[in-house]
Structures are given as C-alpha cells and as structure tokens.
Amino acid sequence: MEHWIERIADDLSKMDVEKHTIASGTSISGTIHIGNSCDIFIANAVGKALRKLDQDVEVIWIADDHDPLRKVPYPLPESYSKYLGMPYSTIPCPDGCCKNFVEHFEKPLFNVLDDYGIDVTIKSGYEMYKSGVYNDYIRKALEKHDEIREIFDQYRRVPLAEDWLPYNPICEECGRVNTTTAYGYDGDKVYYRCECGHEGVSDITKGDGKLTWRVEWAARWKIFNTTCEPFGKDHAASGGSYDVSKVISKEIFGYDAPYPIPYEWITLDGEAMSKSHGVFFAPDEWLKIGPAESLNYYLFRSKPMKPKDFSPKMKFLDLMDQFDTVEKVFYDEEEAPSKKEEHKFKEIYRVAQIHEGSPLPFRPPYRFLVNAIQIAGGCDLEKIFGILKRNSQLTKSFEDKEFEDLTERELAQYEERVNNVKYWLDNYAPGFVKFNVQYKSIPNLPLQEEQDAFLRDLADLMETNDFTKSEDLHDEMYKILEAHGLKPQKAFQAIYKMILGKKQGPRAASFLLSLDKDFVVKRLRKEA
C-alpha cells in the first residue's frame, strides 16, 4: 500500500526528463488560506518524494498577482471597491505596512514556509510580464488567435467574436484589465476598447496586460518545463481550464501538459472558504493551535479529491487525537489497532513529517492538556507536567522522566504544545469546555443530602488512598454513589459544583487526581 504522494512520485520518476518542475500557484486576491494553498503543500510533498527517488526536482510557486481584483477581500473596507478590475500588482497596501496589496497578503504565507519545511522557488506573474518572459508567447498567441479561438469554441456554448484576441490590455485610462477587449494588433501593438469608454493601444513588451488565463497557463507550462501541477477541482472539471489549456499547450506551444493533481476544496465548518466573506483559515493561524506536521497530516491523510471539512472548534480535538495517535504509532510509542492500520499510519506520517529522521517529539495528549491547563490555572509547564504524570498521560519513552530530565528540544516542543492548547482554549473552544477551579472560595450552590454524604465519603476515600490510576478511583467512586442511591450524573454534579461552581466539567476521576490532594479533600468536606 503506497501513499498517493509516493505513487505520484513513482509515476513521475518514469518520465523521460532530465529535471522535474513541480508547479503551484495562488491568486493573490486576499488572505492565502489552507484551501487555496493546497497547491504549494502538495507540490512540496511530491518534490520531497521525488528527491528520495534521486530525481532532480525544483518546486515553484507562482503568484497570480497580475490578475484583476474581482471582490473586495475581508477585512478590507468597501472603499476598496474602487480598485475592482485592477491588477492586484497595482493596488496599494491596505495598512501601509507593505509596498503593495500583493506583498500584504503574501507575507503571512512566506513567513511560515520554513515552519512547514516548504522548499520552493517563488515567482511573480507581474514580474514575468514586466521582464518580458511572456513576450514570445504573447506574440505566438496573437499570431495563432484564430486557432486558439477555435479551441475555445469547442468548449463554449456561445462562440467568441471573430475579432477576439487572447490578450487583455490594462486600460491606460481607468487601470482595469477585466473591462478591456482587444480587437486588433500590429506587431507588438494591441488595439483595445474599454468599458470606461477609452480606446487605446497597448505595447505587449511593457507588461501592461496579460494573456487570457487558459492561454497563460499553457504558456507557463512551456516556460518552466512543468512536469506536474496540483490545482483545485474547478480547473479539473470537464471542459474546464485544464482540458482547454492542455489542448492549447500541445497545439499552440508544442508542449505536453503536466501530470495533473486535482484536489477537492476544503470547507470551513461546512461553509465554502471565501476571502471576500472572511470565511477562511490560514496556515499561519494553524501554527497557533497545532504543530506544522498536523496540517500536513490533515491534508495528506486522505486522497486529494476526497471532500474535507475543517473546523478549528470542538472537532479539532478529534483531529488532534488522530494526529497524536498516528505520531505515536510511527515512533512505536503506541500499538495500532491492526497491522494494516499500522502500515497506513506510518505511510501517512512519513509524508506529513517535516524533518525526516527527527527523534520522537514530546507532545503530551492535546485533549488532556485542555483540562490540565485550566486545572493548573495557566501555562506553568512544571505544574502541568505533574498533572500529566499523575494521570499516566506520558508515553513509554517519557513515563519515567521528571520535568528536569526534558532536553532543551523536548522542552521547546512541550511549551509549543501548551501554548497551542492555550490559544485554542482562548479563541476556539466552546463555552462548555471552559472552567475555572474555584480555589479561593467554596461555591454557594445547593446540594441534596445524598450528594453531601457522597462528597464526605469521597473525601475519606481520597484521604486514605494514593490513587495512581484514574480508572481505580473511578471504580471506587461508583461504589460510593451506588451506596448512596445516587445516579452518576447527580454525584458528578456535586463534585463540579463544589470545585468549579458549575454543573459539568472534565472526567471526574481524572479531574480529581489532577488537583492537589489536600485541596480536594478539604473542598469535598467544605472546609476550604
């Protein structure tokens, strides 16, 4: 059983080429999120897999920064609508912190490329046009415009106009590129009309225009000798961009289209990601709630065309449970449910891993830390470590270690995980997950007689025993509540009321073992 990334690398390694270029690209129309940045993550993973096969590889990422702004992205004000239709490259930075609109939205991704182990050569569509890289391809497209129009018309219901040209000049009057229509050319001069009423002449060598998308894409493949490219499913639809560009690439530019890797869009809490509506989740935000490997795991655990819905809320804990398990199985810290699952887990983690051969990271269970941090009343690493140890939450390589035994690397990983969980608690956790231990005063909440009696007996039990396993305490608690004729819900409510001042909380036995024993005994007796 081969992971799909490795299978693609195997297929590519059989191609008769001296070097592989794995291309990726993103439209800089707003925040770059985990949906539209899939290209670069997949391309990087394929590149790594090819290098393992001793192939010469370059992974490139092309900023589609010369495209027109079609919607005002969140959180920009509506005043930015005056830039609609203009190339991103000509729009000013919204906050005045960068040289322009493009850099403002690129920077958050560029800042975390190293964190994700992404080794990529960055290209700019704008710079390619300005520097003349596209000039010969524009000339060829203009010369063969009739053939290109015929190719387009095969996939259109309404044929293009007879004087249609595959080039969009930037209007020198209004600065827009999606409102112009080129109708004639003479050498490097292109004649156009704009919806603003202006008629003008554009010089293709100045970079003040661009090829229409499907022709541009085909030209780009030839320019970079692209052998493989991931892209969203919209481009992969029958008669869509890839189908049309594939024909143009072969018939106009004499180049075979690259190996395609179409992928399904990622939804956010069931809603399509939208830069204009502010519905997105960015790679830099992911690093605030989880390690870089966990995003790789999320992207690569299933095939690229399988639907993916991401939620940073309660469902994120399930994702982190799964990631933690896969990581532990990979490092032989935990057994998989079966040999088949073990192989599957290790294949996925091998692709998700950022630094091959790196030692076992110290990442205590994410879900348990959600409670441990709140019990500790903050991010006191040593205090939380004690809670982990008392609850047997350390895997076999760490179970005999004390806090002082952690290496500098392990301590950094541990701190990162605690900070991730704290950020998740502060920004994404639902209200019912949150609690505060009422250390300073006893909550004034009513209890039934049976509940009071249960708490007194539980206090005696904990005072006279040193439980090391929450399961053992749990069993003894049930004996007491049954002796008092209490339903589990009522018994546990009594514990939460006295310690948290609310009716619900984390698993009772583990919760009690996580707290200071003297505090628990006194609180259950209402003495402190």
Side-chain angles (χ1 to χ4, degrees):
M1 292 190 299
E2 200 174 30
H3 190 276
W4 59 270
I5 288 285
E6 293 172 333
R7 177 182 54 76
I8 289 169
D10 279 344
D11 289 347
L12 292 171
S13 70
K14 296 179 176 69
M15 293 173 64
D16 185 20
V17 294
E18 290 184 8
K19 176 184 175 182
H20 282 284
T21 301
I22 316 300
S24 57
T26 309
S27 177
I28 316 301
S29 55
T31 298
I32 300 172
H33 52 71
I34 62 171
N36 64 358
S37 64
C38 277
D39 298 49
I40 194 169
F41 281 88
I42 295 172
N44 183 64
V46 171
K48 285 174 67 176
L50 274 169
R51 290 185 192 103
K52 289 181 183 178
L53 299 175
D54 296 322
Q55 298 285 303
D56 188 8
V57 186
E58 182 179 21
V59 178
I60 64 172
W61 178 78
I62 305 162
D64 290 317
D65 52 6
H66 211 40
D67 291 352
L69 180 68
R70 300 184 187 280
K71 292 181 180 179
V72 176
Y74 176 89
L76 272 57
E78 270 308 305
S79 60
Y80 255 69
S81 59
K82 65 186 176 186
Y83 299 112
L84 291 175
M86 295 184 183
Y88 309 133
S89 52
T90 64
I91 302 173
C93 172
D95 294 338
C97 57
C98 301
K99 68 179 182 181
N100 58 18
F101 179 96
V102 171
E103 185 180 281
H104 180 80
F105 287 108
E106 283 178 337
K107 190 176 282 186
L109 175 66
F110 291 174
N111 286 344
V112 297
L113 288 179
D114 285 345
D115 294 285
Y116 287 104
I118 292 174
D119 180 13
V120 66
T121 303
I122 294 167
K123 305 285 184 179
S124 160
Y126 167 76
E127 294 295 342
M128 288 171 65
Y129 278 106
K130 284 295 183 182
S131 65
V133 171
Y134 278 117
N135 287 353
D136 286 342
Y137 297 86
I138 297 171
R139 293 182 184 112
K140 181 166 281 191
L142 291 173
E143 290 167 10
K144 298 195 173 186
H145 66 274
D146 286 332
E147 293 173 49
I148 293 174
R149 188 182 72 249
E150 287 174 9
I151 293 168
F152 269 77
D153 284 347
Q154 292 173 26
Y155 299 91
R156 293 174 57 89
R157 291 181 182 176
V158 179
L160 292 165
E162 287 292 318
D163 61 356
W164 174 86
L165 293 174
Y167 185 77
N168 296 106
I170 298 171
C171 177
E172 58 190 342
E173 185 69 26
C174 70
R176 290 176 171 79
V177 69
N178 67 342
T179 53
T180 59
T181 301
Y183 62 87
Y185 73 98
D186 181 11
D188 289 342
K189 308 294 184 185
V190 176
Y191 302 94
Y192 69 91
R193 302 183 188 93
C194 181
E195 291 175 14
C196 74
H198 179 74
E199 291 197 24
V201 182
S202 175
D203 184 342
I204 66 167
T205 65
K206 304 294 186 184
D208 296 329
K210 67 188 299 294
L211 288 165
T212 190
W213 161 240
R214 298 177 187 194
V215 180
E216 179 186 271
W217 201 15
R220 222 156 70 177
W221 293 338
K222 172 76 170 182
I223 290 166
F224 294 112
N225 292 317
T226 305
T227 53
C228 174
E229 183 165 358
F231 47 83
K233 70 171 186 178
D234 51 333
H235 293 312
S238 179
S241 296
Y242 183 77
D243 281 357
V244 178
S245 296
K246 182 178 181 178
V247 177
I248 293 170
S249 184
K250 183 69 174 176
E251 296 188 8
I252 305 301
F253 299 124
Y255 187 77
D256 289 328
Y259 187 111
I261 311 177
Y263 60 82
E264 178 60 85
W265 294 327
I266 298 173
T267 53
L268 182 65
D269 285 316
E271 193 174 350
M273 290 201 197
S274 166
K275 285 170 276 192
S276 59
H277 293 119
V279 181
F280 52 75
F281 198 86
D284 58 318
E285 183 70 4
W286 189 292
L287 292 177
K288 296 174 185 176
I289 60 172
E293 291 89 348
S294 63
L295 175 53
N296 280 349
Y297 167 74
Y298 175 75
L299 296 175
F300 302 135
R301 65 179 177 169
S302 57
K303 292 181 179 178
M305 281 301 289
K306 185 172 181 179
K308 296 177 180 67
D309 182 58
F310 175 69
S311 175
K313 300 172 187 174
M314 200 62 194
K315 282 168 59 179
F316 185 71
L317 295 186
D318 295 332
L319 174 65
M320 292 309 297
D321 281 347
Q322 294 158 14
F323 170 74
D324 285 348
T325 297
V326 166
E327 185 169 74
K328 288 171 188 171
V329 168
F330 180 84
Y331 284 102
D332 298 319
E333 288 289 287
E334 186 177 299
E335 284 190 17
S338 66
K339 281 292 181 185
K340 184 178 179 181
E341 289 289 281
E342 179 184 0
H343 179 80
K344 177 183 174 184
F345 288 177
K346 290 189 174 185
E347 283 288 310
I348 294 170
Y349 192 85
R350 185 159 39 249
V351 172
Q353 191 178 30
I354 290 171
H355 302 293
E356 186 179 0
S358 56
L360 168 69
F362 181 51
R363 294 191 181 115
Y366 197 102
R367 188 185 294 268
F368 186 84
L369 283 173
V370 168
N371 294 328
I373 289 170
Q374 297 183 89
I375 291 166
C379 297
D380 184 324
L381 298 181
E382 188 168 4
K383 191 174 182 180
I384 294 168
F385 189 89
I387 294 171
L388 291 163
K389 201 166 179 66
R390 289 199 298 277
N391 283 274
S392 304
Q393 293 295 317
L394 302 176
T395 57
K396 62 185 182 182
S397 294
F398 296 98
E399 60 186 359
D400 294 328
K401 285 191 176 186
E402 298 300 327
F403 180 73
E404 310 80 53
D405 298 330
L406 295 177
T407 65
E408 187 177 334
R409 181 177 179 276
E410 290 165 350
L411 191 60
Q413 291 165 338
Y414 174 38
E415 185 173 18
E416 177 189 70
R417 166 128 312 187
V418 169
N419 289 337
N420 283 166
V421 175
K422 183 66 168 61
Y423 187 87
W424 181 84
L425 269 167
D426 291 342
N427 294 276
Y428 297 107
F432 69 84
V433 172
K434 299 179 183 182
F435 60 83
N436 286 300
V437 177
Q438 305 297 305
Y439 287 108
K440 293 183 179 179
S441 60
I442 301 170
N444 186 23
L445 295 176
L447 295 178
Q448 298 171 357
E449 262 185 54
E450 295 85 354
Q451 288 177 310
D452 274 325
F454 164 73
L455 292 181
R456 287 194 296 271
D457 287 353
L458 180 56
D460 292 342
L461 174 72
M462 293 198 67
E463 185 177 40
T464 56
N465 291 274
D466 289 318
F467 291 99
T468 56
K469 292 183 179 179
S470 59
E471 294 86 352
D472 295 339
L473 175 57
H474 176 83
D475 293 342
E476 293 301 319
M477 286 168 65
Y478 262 80
K479 290 178 185 177
I480 297 173
L481 68 86
E482 286 170 357
H484 288 284
L486 273 176
K487 291 183 178 179
Q489 183 185 12
K490 284 289 183 183
F492 297 145
Q493 272 185 8
I495 296 171
Y496 301 136
K497 281 183 175 183
M498 284 302 98
I499 299 177
L500 300 178
K502 57 191 290 188
K503 289 184 177 181
Q504 59 184 16
R507 291 181 179 179
S510 177
F511 174 54
L512 292 176
L513 286 185
S514 300
L515 294 161
D516 178 76
K517 180 176 175 178
D518 289 340
F519 166 76
V520 171
V521 171
K522 287 178 180 177
R523 179 55 61 87
L524 295 179
R525 289 174 178 161
K526 299 184 182 179
E527 293 174 355

